[in-house]
Each structure stands twice: as C-alpha cells, then as structure tokens.
Amino acid sequence: MGRVHQVAAEEALAELAAASANFGFLLPLEPLLLLYGAGAEADAYDRPKRSVAQARQFAEVLTAESVRLLGSDSADGPVHHVLAELRRSGDPAPDGETAADDRSRAQHFVRHCFELGVWYFRLRTGVRDELSFVPPVEWDRTPASPPRRQVARSVPVADLAIWVALLDEYVPILRRTFDRRTPAETTTRASLKARSALLEAKWLVADLLAEAGWTVQHASETPHELPVRGVAVRGTAHPNRGLVAGPDYVLRIDGQPVGTVEVHPRSEDLRAAMARTREAGTPSTTSAERWMPYTYVTDGVRVVFRNGDDPEPRPREVFTFHQPDTVARWLREAAADPQAPTFQGRLRHRLPDLSADGYSQGSLGSVQYDAVRAFESSLRRGERRAMAQIAVGGGRTVTAVTAAHRLLRHARARRILFLVDRVELENQALATFAAYSGPGDDGRKFTELYRVERLGPDAVPTLGVVVSTVPRLHNALSRGNPASAVRYQPDLPPEFFDLVIADDCHRSVSPQWRALFDYFDAPVLGLTAAPTERALEVFQGNLISSYTFEDAVADGRAVDITIYRIGDLPTRPERTADTLEEESDLDVEAPPAHRRSMVSGKALHAALTAFKEGLPSMFPERARLGSGDVALPKTVVYAANDQHADEVVDAVRAVFGQGPGLCQKVTLKGGSPYRLLSQFRNTVELRVIVVVDLLTGTDIAPVECLLFLRDVKSSYRYFQMLAVGTRPIASAALRAVTPGASAKTHCVVVDPVDVARHHAVQPSTTRKRGRGKDADEAPAAAATVDDAEVMTRWRSFLRAGNDSVQELITGTVGLADGDVRRLHSWAESLARPPHGLTAERIWSAYERAGVSVSDPRRPRTPMGPVDLLALARYEAGLEPQPRAYRDQVFDRLDAWIDRQERRGRSFDSDQVWWMEHIADGTAAGGNFAAASLDAVPFTLRGGTSGFLRAFGEQGAVRLLDELRSVLA
C-alpha cells in the first residue's frame, strides 16, 4: 500500500470508528474487528444476510487473535462457544427477500459481536470501564425485537455504511498484516490467560444471573422502563468502602440494595474469598450488612452464598443464584419475625423439643423418637447433611413424616421433598402421610392440614410435601433426557424446597443421582438400613443415629437369619451381557479370586432337591407326624438374569412336582410385578417367586426362605436381599398362607453358591450388639449368658421400675393402647445395655427352669413385649405361674364362647374362624384394631365385608366391640 493510500485508509478507519457507536473502541487494537463489526452493524436492517456474513468474519478474526494471545489450549469456555456460534452462522449470500426474522437474527449477532469485542478490549487493556451497546435508530422500526430499555441512540447508519464500503478494498491488505502477526510471548500469554479466566467468569456470571431471573444492567444505564423486581447492577462501588474496589454486582430488590456478587477466577478458593469479603466489610459496614445481608462469591461455575440474617452466618455452596422472588420473600419473612428472620433462625428459636410438643418415646417409638431428635439437633447446628440408619421394621417413613410435620408446623417450612426409590415405595409414603396425626392436631390427619402430592411431569407443586421417585425428579431436572446432567429449571429452582428427605439414600447417592442433592439449596436427611461408604461420604460422615439389623432382631422388629449351606455343587460363570446391573451398590469390591457364579443345569436340580430334602431340618417343629414332610415355605429365589430365571422356574416346578401355580418369575421391568407380589403375599398357592431385580422396600412378610442361585458382588446388596426375608409377621397371618406353620422365628438363607462366606460380616458404622463373627451364629447374649443371669437381669430391671410400672403390674383391667405402648417401651429398654435381653430370651429361661409351661393344646409361638407383663406379675407375687399372653387370650375366648352357648347362642365354623383369628391378632399386638380386618389373614375371607356377612352388619359391630373388651 502506498503512503498516500495508507494515510487515506487510516483516516477512513478513524472516521469509521467515529461513526460506529458500538465498535469504534476496537480501532487501536485490531482494525479488522472494527471493519467487520461496524459492517455487521450497518447492514443489520437493510441487508441482514450480509450482516450475518460480516459477523461470521468478525468471529473468525477474533478466534485467530485469541489463539495468538492465549494459545490453542484456551479455546474453550463461554466466549469461544459464542465465537463458534457466529462462525456457524448461515449463508452469507445477500440474495432473497428480507424478512423480519432475518433482521432479528442479524441484530442478535451484532450484539454478540459487541459483547465479544468488549471481552477482547478488556483482555488486551485490563480496563474495566463500562461499555454499553447502543442500538442504531433504524432498529426501532423492527417489530420483531423492540428495545428493552430507554437508551441513547446512535446516528443513522447511512454514513457508517458509506465508510464501510470505502474501506472494503483495504480488507485484504489488513488481513495480510493480521496473518503475519507472531504468537504472544510466553510471559505475556501467562498474564493474559489469568485475565481471560476472570473475564470469562464474569461472562458466565452474567448468564447465571439472567437465567435466575435477574435483569443485568450497568450502573450508568437508565433504569428499566417496566417494573422489575430484581436487578443486578454491574460495577457499582460498595457504598461504605470509599476507594476500595466494590463488588462486581449489587443486587437490588424493588430498587433496594440487598446483596452483592463478587467474581473471582476459577483457580481461587471461593470460601477464602468469602471470608475476605466479610472481613473487609466488618469494621465500617455494620449497618450496611444488615441492609445488604446476602453475599455471593462465584467463579462463574461454583457459587458460594452467605445469608447474613442466619443465627450463625456460614458460607455454603449453591447450584446458582436465588431468584429475585425468593430474595423478596426472605426480606418479608425477616421483617415479619426479626428474632427468627430465616428458616435456620426458626429452627433455632421456633422449633420446640419433641417432649414439649406432646411427643413421647412411647407414642412415637424410641427408634423414631431418637432419630427425629438427633436430626433436629443437627439442623439447629446448621449441618446441611444428616443420615439416620434405621433397620427394616424400625419405622423410617414414620420418622420422615414426623420430621416433616414438625418443620411445617413450627419452622414454617414451605415445601419438603420426600424422595423414594420406586413407585411402590411412593405409594407407601403417601399412605403413611395420609394416616399420620400428630399431637395437638385434634385428630386431624396430616393431609387435612398440609398438602401432600406427587411430583407431576408439568405442574409446579404447591406448598406442603412433594413425593417423588428419584428417576422422575431427575427427569424433571434434566428436561426429559435421562442421560443428561441436571440443569437449571426455573419452575423448580434450587431454593424450591426447605428440606429434602431421601429414603433408601444409599441408592440415591450413586453417580447418576447424587447431583440431585447438590442441586437443591436445602438440608438433606438421608434414611437407610445399610449406610454405605459412598453414602457416608455424600452425607459428610454425619451419621446422627444408628438402629441396626441386630437391634431390630433384639427388639422383635425383625427375625434373625440362619444359613443352610449346600456344598460340592459345580457352578458356571455368569455371562457378562446377562448379569444384573449393580450400579448403585458396588461400594465394596469383590474379594480376591472371587468369581461371580450361578447354579445351572444338573447342579440346579441337585440344589433344589437338597433344598426340598432339607426342609425338615430347617423347620423341625413343622414336620408332619409319621411322614417328616414340611410344607414348602414362602421362598424368594435370586437368579442371575431373565434366562436363568426361566430355567429356575421350570426346575422348581419339576423338583416339587407341581404345576405353574407353585412358582412364578417376577421382574420389575415386565409383566405385572405388583399383582404377582400381592398374590405371593396373600395366597396359599403361589409358594416361590424367582427374581432378578432387587426387591428394595417390598414388604413380603410371609417369606421364610431365601435361595441364592447366583453370587452377589456387593455386600450392601447382599444384605438388602436378606432384608426381604427378615420382616416379622403375626402367627395367624403366617398360618393363613403357609399351612402347618406355627410362627415365623427365623429366615433360612439357602446357599449353594457359598455367597454368605464372602459377606460374613454385615458392614456397619457402629458396634453391633448380640452378633458373632459369622452370619449364621446365634446372638452373643444367647450363647454366653446363662438362664440364671438372664433372670437376674430381668429382676434387676423390674426393681428399677417407677410408679407407672407398678401401676401397670398391679392393674386388674385389660390392656389399653397406652399399656401396650409401655410394654413395647419395656422391650426396647431391655434390649439395650446393660440388660441385653428380649422377651423370648427371658421366657425361654423361665421355661427351662420349670417356672413357666406352655399350653400343650396350642403351638408354642415366639414371645413378645406383651408377654413381659405376665412375668412381671409373677415376680410381684400376683400370679402363681406366668402364662403366655396368647394362652390367656384364647382361654378368655373359650370361656366367652361357653357362656354364649349356655345362653343359647351358637356359632358356625366360619364365625369361629373369624373369632379365633381376632383372638390371634389380639395376642400378637395386645389389642385389636378394626382396621386389621382389611389385612391378612382376614382378606382371604373378604376382609371387613366378609366379617359383616358372617355376623350381620349390626351384630358384627357389637360382636367386635365385645370381643375387644373380653380378650384384651
């Protein structure tokens, strides 16, 4: 280029810079960016396709310049994503008719070019001056994109277009000069990279604020013409810091400053930055901190938040910024209750202790009572994660409902999320909420006071409790793409819930689901029967209470297991393609040289034959006189895969010589699993189910045998499988579905693959009481404490009793509901150190001493809490001999029937069946509730309707009231 032409070009570029309201500042840094940016700006209205082409050229030049300055390894982040979008913009050809959509698109790209130009300017200069986009006046005539704010307008673009056209012939020359530039020096590049990291963080933060509903603007801009609740004002100095650099944003609610946002590079420690922010503001801004209580520190990816209104303000990491409406609500709550201005404050000052709220260990149950109290103490301390271990039968759902009830009532929680593993558990949770009534509710149910609903696919939940399966919630937060990560959902923002309760939380913490816990800005209570190492890590090691399987066995809430090994059977490896997924339970590696295996072919028939022949030794009390046969108990068989399950079903039918009704395959992914499970639970005919999926949370109390025909890699999964068979069941209910059974005293694990030896000790975080080293050993107390010591401990327990205990022992009337609860409390206290006893263990000692003798007319059943009263009355000298409560109940029934018959009233066999089973239910629980008529075994004869048919509608009600009074 000649000297004259060069001078002319420089003058033309200067004129172009003066004419462009949005790109003139780029002239000293890179003329090509000025040319392409101003060209896109000039053509956006009349020639939008040419404008898009210019924007693409702008992006190509800036991409090459960023690589020169920062290196190719820096080509990532939000800036480069926008550059890539511009480089992919459509056909540059200017032909065709211009439409409003074309203009809108071109104007959108021009704004992008301006934002990228500002980023480049700040990268090169380090200057933080505010630069605002000024829309050309022609854009006012574009109906597709009206201006959002009243801002200054540039002059018409006619002059701008002229200067762009004049400089068009110089573009190749400028491009050759640009291409000859050498990469930046290493030291310069390092400095620019550090500056780029902060700039990109600020870019991201602006997007995060806008996504959360904040209107982002510069302090110099005229306020928005429409009413806007939340505005994030960029680059405003802190009002009380003088010359000290202020925050990057000040958050305003309805015009009032309420919070600050500071942006830091991704390499910085955000919590340390938050501490520095607090220290810098402490000396001179005491009033300002009350005025602006909300502080955010972020690097554009992570966001750390501190609420200055909390009793002990602590920084915590949140998914993103809170919505303006949320912050406005916090301000209203703080004004309404200055002593407890936040949810954390209400937990500290408005949540009474359980005992002061009308709860007692007897009414709630000591396990639930201790867990709720421990969780609330954890909340008051400000801990964000807490996990309670509650074994099967310990009342996890009741614990969760009680915690939710108290937080809604006293801490004014708005919404609580209850997460479950699958739909069946969701239904159980909804039923528990519907049946729950707390102290002081005047008998009204939970659902009468608070709304309880499922999380729907579209509707936004209202206030109250929201119940959801984990997959459904993940689907809502991944916008219908199960393989996608959790993303921000404006209708379900992170602050939507005040508390998250996760049942079976050891499954929810898998890599696929654990992001749900990090999304919500709420404390999380995890409930589990088996706390895994992964779960403990996610819950920050905060195990607030522990009620183990051994505790449940000692308290009668679960039956123990025994192992029946079948040895010397060949196994074959499972085929990898068919093995059961254990994605959420692989917390424990398989032992060395431990191969997963399955029993198949001839070995399968041998194992099933050995199982059949071993039944008399597993259940000796059930052997039929003369034959030695034992009816097949309800049995769950664990198979390796669907193909193996089909083979097992055929083999079971062949070995036991019965048809299809004996054994069925049940998988949760096909068929009608819940119908088959109900049939298995409630009928005599279906004796065996073969499963591949884990039946987590499925209540099948009649199960007495578990047959493992496949190995299990995870110890946690293995013990979950065992839990299916450990639920206790009333003797009458068991006899209704298992002929020849008297009581469920244990669960037999039939083990032809030797899986028990691989998982001999149940993983736990606490020392278990009453367990030996091997899974099939008897409880330690039963093995090491003799009968004399048992009776001594029992008498010591009685001597330590109080007046209420004496009142119960000396009472002459029947057992009331409160008496039964007190006896259960006795049993729980006895099971703890220093006593370590169960009702069954004490009764067995008295029987072996010849003090107590069971009635030979009736089968011996395990003793429970209500049987303790007879022993206590015997020790008090009020009874000549302790008699089992069941024997007493049936004696009362026999005497009552005799009296009725002497008066001329007779009963047929069907009516006697009903009365005997009501007596059985009374003996098992201490009293009989009318609702029990709709449970097994009564459902086998029509439930409540069948009872009404048997005795007549009026007579049935009178009879039930009379029996409940006579038998208790």
Side-chain angles (χ1 to χ4, degrees):
M1 187 191 308
R3 176 68 181 167
V4 175
H5 291 95
Q6 181 178 354
V7 171
E10 290 175 352
E11 291 177 352
L13 285 169
E15 292 291 342
L16 176 63
S20 174
N22 294 303
F23 295 95
F25 66 93
L26 292 173
L27 176 60
L29 301 177
E30 178 47 61
L32 273 176
L33 292 177
L34 166 62
L35 268 171
Y36 290 132
E41 178 184 9
D43 293 331
Y45 185 80
D46 292 323
R47 293 181 293 179
K49 292 187 178 179
R50 177 181 171 85
S51 173
V52 171
Q54 298 269 39
R56 185 167 62 179
Q57 294 285 349
F58 183 98
E60 289 176 352
V61 170
L62 188 54
T63 299
E65 178 70 348
S66 67
V67 170
R68 184 185 75 82
L69 295 173
L70 303 174
S72 58
D73 59 335
S74 298
D76 194 12
V79 170
H80 295 87
H81 293 163
V82 176
L83 286 170
E85 178 188 355
L86 290 177
R87 292 199 306 273
R88 292 192 301 266
S89 56
D91 188 351
D95 56 343
E97 184 177 350
T98 298
D101 286 346
D102 294 331
R103 291 194 183 108
S104 177
R105 183 164 173 264
Q107 292 169 12
H108 172 73
F109 284 150
V110 171
R111 288 181 181 273
H112 271 337
C113 289
F114 171 77
E115 293 165 353
L116 290 166
V118 172
W119 170 82
Y120 175 63
F121 172 76
R122 289 177 174 161
L123 176 69
R124 289 283 303 274
T125 66
V127 174
R128 292 184 57 187
D129 290 351
E130 295 181 15
L131 297 169
S132 301
F133 184 80
V134 182
V137 293
E138 285 80 0
W139 289 18
D140 273 340
R141 302 196 297 271
T142 306
S145 56
R148 296 183 60 194
R149 289 189 290 270
Q150 296 290 345
V151 296
R153 300 286 165 185
S154 69
V155 297
V157 298
D159 294 340
L160 183 62
I162 292 172
W163 288 112
V164 170
L166 287 174
L167 287 164
D168 190 56
E169 62 180 292
Y170 294 107
V171 170
I173 299 172
L174 294 172
R175 187 62 188 252
R176 284 196 297 272
T177 303
F178 174 80
D179 291 340
R180 285 196 294 270
R181 290 186 180 180
T182 59
E185 296 180 0
T186 302
T187 55
T188 302
R189 180 172 291 180
S191 175
L192 289 174
K193 279 187 175 182
R195 187 180 296 166
S196 174
L198 182 58
L199 290 173
E200 294 215 348
K202 293 181 177 180
W203 185 296
L204 283 169
V205 169
D207 289 344
L208 290 178
L209 285 165
E211 185 180 50
W214 295 87
T215 298
V216 180
Q217 68 177 44
H218 293 288
S220 61
E221 291 181 318
T222 304
H224 200 289
E225 62 181 354
L226 298 175
V228 174
R229 162 144 284 175
V231 178
V233 184
R234 192 194 327 247
T236 303
H238 196 291
N240 285 37
R241 288 182 181 172
L243 298 177
V244 179
D248 293 277
Y249 293 90
V250 168
L251 303 179
R252 293 177 176 268
I253 294 294
D254 299 327
Q256 180 74 18
V258 297
T260 61
V261 179
E262 288 195 4
V263 185
H264 294 262
R266 201 172 300 181
S267 58
E268 283 198 23
D269 183 340
L270 296 184
R271 291 183 180 271
M274 175 71 79
R276 291 195 299 272
T277 299
R278 184 178 183 183
E279 291 170 3
T282 299
S284 59
T285 61
T286 303
S287 60
E289 285 192 342
R290 288 198 300 269
W291 178 44
M292 293 200 300
Y294 312 119
T295 305
Y296 296 89
V297 174
T298 177
D299 59 9
V301 177
R302 297 172 58 224
V303 181
V304 174
F305 169 69
R306 183 173 64 88
N307 188 339
D309 280 340
D310 278 338
E312 295 180 16
R314 299 177 185 176
R316 64 177 186 264
E317 189 165 341
V318 294
F319 188 83
T320 188
F321 296 97
H322 302 99
Q323 293 182 349
D325 285 342
T326 301
V327 177
R329 172 170 58 82
W330 289 349
L331 293 169
R332 293 194 302 271
E333 291 173 347
D337 190 355
Q339 291 184 333
T342 64
F343 181 63
Q344 182 64 35
R346 295 192 292 274
L347 289 170
R348 287 275 186 96
H349 303 296
R350 302 289 181 257
L351 183 64
D353 188 75
L354 275 168
S355 58
D357 197 23
Y359 289 91
S360 66
Q361 290 194 356
S363 63
L364 185 58
S366 64
V367 177
Q368 300 97 313
Y369 188 93
D370 293 343
V372 172
R373 172 174 276 180
F375 171 57
E376 291 176 352
S377 296
S378 176
L379 283 179
R380 292 188 185 97
R381 292 192 298 270
E383 295 165 352
R384 307 289 292 177
R385 300 282 172 89
M387 182 167 60
Q389 178 186 9
I390 302 178
V392 173
R396 290 202 306 270
T397 307
V398 172
T399 300
V401 175
T402 302
H405 177 270
R406 283 172 46 77
L407 293 182
L408 288 166
R409 181 178 181 181
H410 298 292
R412 300 198 302 277
R414 288 168 58 81
R415 300 183 190 90
I416 293 175
L417 174 65
F418 188 79
L419 279 178
V420 294
D421 190 46
R422 58 190 62 188
V423 174
E424 186 180 48
L425 299 182
E426 184 180 47
N427 294 333
Q428 292 178 13
L430 290 169
T432 304
F433 276 105
Y436 185 90
S437 179
D441 289 341
D442 299 326
R444 291 174 294 174
K445 302 301 183 184
F446 191 109
T447 48
E448 296 179 68
L449 299 169
Y450 309 104
R451 188 177 180 87
V452 179
E453 59 184 318
R454 297 177 195 265
L455 179 67
D458 301 313
V460 178
T462 54
L463 304 183
V465 175
V466 178
V467 182
S468 175
T469 62
V470 172
R472 191 187 309 133
L473 178 63
H474 187 274
N475 188 60
L477 294 178
S478 61
R479 300 180 186 176
N481 183 2
S484 175
V486 168
R487 294 186 290 173
Y488 183 76
Q489 175 58 262
D491 292 335
L492 203 65
E495 65 267 28
F496 198 74
F497 297 105
D498 292 306
L499 173 68
V500 176
I501 302 176
D503 197 12
D504 278 335
C505 65
H506 60 280
R507 297 179 62 79
S508 308
V509 297
S510 68
Q512 183 180 6
W513 309 125
R514 65 192 297 176
L516 299 176
F517 295 161
D518 297 328
Y519 178 81
F520 290 109
D521 180 26
V524 182
L525 168 62
L527 301 170
T528 180
T532 65
E533 293 299 326
R534 179 186 291 162
L536 284 168
E537 177 186 350
V538 170
F539 282 88
Q540 300 165 357
N542 189 23
L543 186 67
I544 56 172
S545 65
S546 180
Y547 183 76
T548 67
F549 170 70
E550 288 78 4
D551 297 331
V553 171
D555 294 344
R557 290 188 172 94
V559 299
D560 211 345
I561 60 170
T562 58
I563 308 299
Y564 186 86
R565 291 187 170 87
I566 301 173
D568 300 326
L569 290 178
T571 59
R572 65 178 179 86
E574 296 180 27
R575 291 184 296 174
T576 304
D578 294 331
T579 55
L580 174 67
E581 280 292 323
E582 296 183 5
E583 81 284 346
S584 63
D585 293 293
L586 300 182
D587 299 281
V588 177
E589 296 296 329
H594 175 199
R595 297 186 63 193
R596 292 164 59 91
S597 55
M598 57 187 279
V599 180
S600 182
K602 292 182 179 179
L604 172 60
H605 282 263
L608 292 173
T609 300
F611 169 46
K612 179 181 179 181
E613 293 174 349
L615 286 173
S617 62
M618 299 176 201
F619 303 93
E621 74 282 1
R622 301 184 191 177
R624 295 175 186 170
L625 294 177
S627 67
D629 291 337
V630 172
L632 178 60
K634 293 283 185 177
T635 302
V636 174
V637 181
Y638 290 109
N641 48 59
D642 277 349
Q643 182 180 352
H644 186 218
D646 291 333
E647 179 189 8
V648 172
V649 169
D650 292 338
V652 169
R653 293 171 182 172
V655 169
F656 285 89
Q658 297 189 35
L662 175 77
C663 180
Q664 293 283 339
K665 180 178 76 171
V666 178
T667 61
L668 298 179
K669 297 179 182 178
S672 303
Y674 299 116
R675 178 184 61 80
L676 286 172
L677 288 174
S678 177
Q679 182 183 352
F680 180 58
R681 183 186 297 114
N682 297 313
T683 67
V684 173
E685 291 75 21
L686 183 55
R687 309 304 305 163
V688 181
I689 59 171
V690 182
V691 302
V692 175
D693 308 278
L694 178 63
L695 300 176
T696 302
T698 302
D699 187 359
I700 316 177
V703 171
E704 296 183 277
C705 287
L706 303 173
L707 174 55
F708 284 84
L709 295 177
R710 54 157 293 192
D711 209 345
V712 184
K713 201 160 53 171
S714 163
S715 289
Y716 297 105
R717 176 172 287 269
Y718 170 69
F719 286 103
Q720 284 181 284
M721 291 174 166
L722 295 189
V724 172
T726 61
R727 294 181 181 272
I729 183 173
S731 301
L734 179 64
R735 291 196 297 272
V737 295
T738 300
S742 56
K744 181 175 179 179
T745 58
H746 62 289
C747 175
V748 179
V749 176
V750 184
D751 187 14
V753 294
D754 217 16
V755 64
R757 289 196 182 279
H758 298 145
H759 312 292
V761 179
Q762 183 168 0
S764 176
T765 57
T766 59
R767 183 178 181 86
K768 305 298 189 297
R769 69 167 185 262
R771 290 296 284 181
K773 293 183 179 180
D774 204 339
D776 53 347
E777 289 182 7
T784 59
V785 180
D786 60 23
D787 292 340
E789 174 64 17
V790 167
M791 298 168 76
T792 299
R793 291 184 185 181
W794 164 240
R795 290 164 182 153
S796 173
F797 173 81
L798 291 176
R799 284 195 299 272
N802 51 38
D803 292 340
S804 62
V805 173
Q806 296 303 319
E807 179 184 340
L808 178 59
I809 293 173
T810 58
T812 57
V813 296
L815 290 178
D817 290 346
D819 298 330
V820 174
R821 287 195 296 268
R822 201 180 309 169
L823 288 169
H824 278 274
S825 180
W826 280 18
E828 292 168 356
S829 299
L830 275 168
R832 300 191 188 97
H835 306 292
L837 301 175
T838 64
E840 173 64 26
R841 183 72 182 91
I842 301 170
W843 264 93
S844 297
Y846 274 78
E847 285 176 335
R848 283 189 286 269
V851 176
S852 175
V853 179
S854 298
D855 191 329
R857 298 173 299 171
R858 302 183 180 96
R860 166 71 159 81
T861 59
M863 301 301 171
V866 291
D867 293 296
L868 293 172
L869 183 57
L871 295 174
R873 289 177 60 82
Y874 168 78
E875 290 295 340
L878 300 175
E879 297 287 350
Q881 185 180 49
R883 298 183 66 243
Y885 186 66
R886 188 171 188 277
D887 292 345
Q888 297 179 45
V889 169
F890 273 89
D891 284 349
R892 294 176 195 138
L893 177 64
D894 292 343
W896 182 82
I897 292 177
D898 287 342
R899 289 196 301 272
Q900 300 303 311
E901 290 178 343
R902 286 197 298 270
R903 295 172 184 172
R905 184 180 182 185
S906 61
F907 301 100
D908 60 30
S909 59
D910 183 50
Q911 292 173 324
V912 170
W913 182 92
W914 284 97
M915 292 187 293
E916 287 181 344
H917 284 80
I918 289 172
D920 214 358
T922 304
N927 47 34
F928 186 83
S932 300
L933 291 172
D934 289 318
V936 175
F938 303 105
T939 51
L940 301 177
R941 297 204 179 188
T944 299
S945 298
F947 182 66
L948 295 175
R949 284 195 302 270
F951 294 96
E953 187 165 342
Q954 296 299 324
V957 174
R958 289 195 301 270
L959 176 80
L960 183 58
D961 288 341
E962 190 172 358
L963 282 178
R964 292 174 64 184
S965 175
V966 167
L967 299 179

